[in-house]
Amino acid sequence: MSSGKNILEVRMKNNVTVRSMRQDDLSRLVAIWNEIVGDGVAFPQEDALTLESGKSFFESQSYVGVGELQGKVVGLYVLHPNNVGRCGHLCNTSYAVTSTARGRGVGEALVNDSLKKGKALGFRILQFNAVVESNESARRLYHKLGFIQLGVIPGGFRMKDGHYENICPYYHLL
């Protein structure tokens, strides 16, 4: 895990900031989320959000982080429990960065912020259930930030075109 100093450097270097969701972010967050869902290669959801369903979805999360690049909303993450009861100390996140902002440090800032926020909310472990094996940029980032891959689930993700790809679960202690 990166130190707080490194997180700050990434934010300053790339003009990326991460903050809590505000109500006036809703339409932009729905659009970003729907871009990823529409691509059909990373999120398991198949149905786009509407403003109404998006409001309900984002309000149901433990936390929604918003990534800004030079003052423009370009990414988000949702953080919530991964399980209940005796496993309720594990959290899960999903990250979405608009295609126009990828490769500019937004994803890294979102992941680093989610690690900090998950710990602040009392979670002990961040677990990813279904990182698509072909999502190489995300997997490189997770390895760089100290996530541990738990294995490979063969054919665990159905791509938009109907073929199946492997998924790789990961975790990171908080």
Side-chain angles (χ1 to χ4, degrees):
M1 177 164 56
S2 297
S3 70
K5 180 180 177 191
N6 290 339
I7 294 170
L8 183 58
E9 288 171 1
V10 168
R11 287 181 182 169
M12 290 171 45
K13 177 181 165 191
N14 295 317
N15 294 318
V16 178
T17 58
V18 181
R19 61 168 173 78
S20 181
M21 177 189 169
R22 299 185 307 240
Q23 282 299 29
D24 63 334
D25 294 324
L26 182 61
S27 64
R28 184 71 182 132
L29 298 186
V30 166
I32 293 168
W33 186 269
N34 287 343
E35 178 184 352
I36 307 304
V37 170
D39 288 344
V41 297
F43 281 4
Q45 293 84 358
E46 294 179 306
D47 298 326
L49 295 173
T50 63
L51 284 178
E52 183 178 320
S53 65
K55 182 178 189 303
S56 176
F57 172 73
F58 291 120
E59 287 178 351
S60 73
Q61 306 300 314
S62 299
Y63 184 80
V64 178
V66 174
E68 292 184 335
L69 183 62
Q70 299 172 339
K72 182 179 178 188
V73 174
V74 295
L76 68 106
Y77 73 88
V78 295
L79 184 146
H80 50 264
N82 194 50
N83 214 316
V84 297
R86 297 184 192 281
C87 293
H89 59 284
L90 282 79
C91 64
N92 179 271
T93 57
S94 296
Y95 308 96
V97 176
T98 188
S99 57
T100 59
R102 293 181 193 150
R104 299 172 65 189
V106 178
E108 184 170 355
L110 291 170
V111 175
N112 277 320
D113 194 77
S114 72
L115 291 167
K116 185 173 77 172
K117 182 54 75 172
K119 184 174 185 172
L121 291 173
F123 293 105
R124 298 184 62 194
I125 299 167
L126 173 56
Q127 179 178 321
F128 300 147
N129 301 321
V131 179
V132 180
E133 189 173 48
S134 61
N135 190 347
E136 294 176 10
S137 59
R139 295 182 65 227
R140 270 193 307 274
L141 176 60
Y142 302 150
H143 286 278
K144 173 184 172 183
L145 297 179
F147 283 81
I148 298 169
Q149 184 176 334
L150 294 169
V152 174
I153 301 170
F157 189 91
R158 184 175 39 81
M159 302 295 275
K160 185 176 183 176
D161 68 6
H163 83 275
Y164 291 86
E165 292 206 11
N166 299 339
I167 55 175
C168 306
Y170 285 85
Y171 79 95
H172 195 295
L173 298 176
L174 302 179

